[in-house]
Amino acid sequence: LHEGFTTYSETLFAEYWFGKGKAFQYCRGEWKNIKNDKPVIGTYGVHDAGSGDKYDKGSAVVHTIRLMMDDDEKFRAMLHKMNDTFYHKQITSKQMEDFIIQFSGLELQPIFDQYLRTTKIPVVEYSFQEDEMIYRFTNIVDEFTLPIRARINGEEVELELTNEWQTYPLGNRDRAVKFLDEFLVEIKKL
């Protein structure tokens, strides 16, 4: 996460100069550099620096935290408090994760486990049955969930995905569905 925050500062810089939309586009563009060759966090107690993905995938995790907090003022306050709390200290990933979970009030441990301790990228699977869309996550750790936004027949909705099949009623409407690319996930229509 340390390198991820540093890399995410590029997104904050771009946001300052070019606006949030362009900054988020830049951030998502960096995700193409993620190799998923091994987990970001290496093995403790031996010389294992983890994956080079710690920069761009770490930044994706920071972006995920920011979006889930859904409060830029609180996110910036967290960054300031993080600096005050850990200034000139060596800390573990666990200490940083616990700090973020406590500050944000969000259950982020499954997100940290998914993106930092595995090479698995969550897959949104969806299909249509009669007058509804069915959807779920695959390729995830236990208890992983994310609020994924989608544009369904022109209406923007938020879907809380888990590994269980869920439904979204379509009625007689078309099946025009576009999942928004806010998080590091793959989309797969079945």
Side-chain angles (χ1 to χ4, degrees):
L1 280 177
H2 305 80
E3 288 82 356
F5 275 103
T6 302
T7 303
Y8 195 72
S9 69
E10 297 171 10
T11 299
L12 297 175
F13 178 83
E15 183 176 346
Y16 177 82
W17 287 104
F18 306 108
K20 190 181 266 189
K22 293 282 186 192
F24 284 12
Q25 187 177 13
Y26 170 82
C27 181
R28 289 187 305 269
E30 292 294 300
W31 298 351
K32 70 182 178 315
N33 299 327
I34 298 171
K35 295 181 180 96
N36 274 320
D37 56 342
K38 57 185 179 176
V40 169
I41 296 177
T43 305
Y44 290 110
V46 297
H47 182 68
D48 181 0
S51 171
D53 286 344
K54 66 184 98 190
Y55 302 99
D56 294 318
K57 197 171 183 185
S59 177
V61 172
V62 174
H63 186 68
T64 297
I65 294 164
R66 180 181 181 182
L67 293 179
M68 290 186 69
M69 287 177 76
D70 195 27
D71 183 340
D72 283 348
E73 292 301 318
K74 185 174 181 178
F75 177 75
R76 285 188 175 86
M78 181 183 75
L79 297 179
H80 288 287
K81 180 75 172 171
M82 195 179 303
N83 273 338
D84 292 343
T85 303
F86 300 122
Y87 181 72
H88 280 191
K89 294 180 182 172
Q90 290 184 351
I91 63 169
T92 65
S93 295
K94 179 79 171 121
Q95 287 173 290
M96 179 63 76
E97 292 168 20
D98 289 346
F99 173 88
I100 294 168
I101 289 168
Q102 181 183 7
F103 192 96
S104 70
L106 299 170
E107 179 46 55
L108 297 169
Q109 195 59 58
I111 288 175
F112 294 137
D113 292 342
Q114 178 78 36
Y115 289 112
L116 303 178
R117 294 180 177 87
T118 77
T119 58
K120 300 190 297 188
I121 299 298
V123 177
V124 175
E125 291 185 339
Y126 75 102
S127 185
F128 300 100
Q129 289 182 344
E130 298 176 17
D131 60 350
E132 60 189 16
M133 177 180 72
I134 60 171
Y135 58 92
R136 71 174 178 179
F137 266 133
T138 60
N139 206 37
I140 57 172
V141 300
D142 290 342
E143 299 183 32
F144 181 87
T145 184
L146 271 177
I148 302 290
R149 291 188 310 143
R151 189 163 287 111
I152 302 174
N153 295 322
E155 178 185 351
E156 194 169 295
V157 298
E158 186 172 281
L159 307 169
E160 191 72 29
L161 275 80
T162 67
N163 65 343
E164 299 290 326
W165 283 109
Q166 297 170 68
T167 61
Y168 183 85
L170 296 172
N172 292 334
R173 297 179 293 170
D174 292 332
R175 296 178 173 190
V177 175
K178 176 174 178 15
F179 288 90
L180 306 183
D181 61 351
E182 299 172 311
F183 297 110
L184 181 59
V185 298
E186 295 176 7
I187 309 296
K188 181 179 178 183
K189 183 178 178 192
L190 302 176

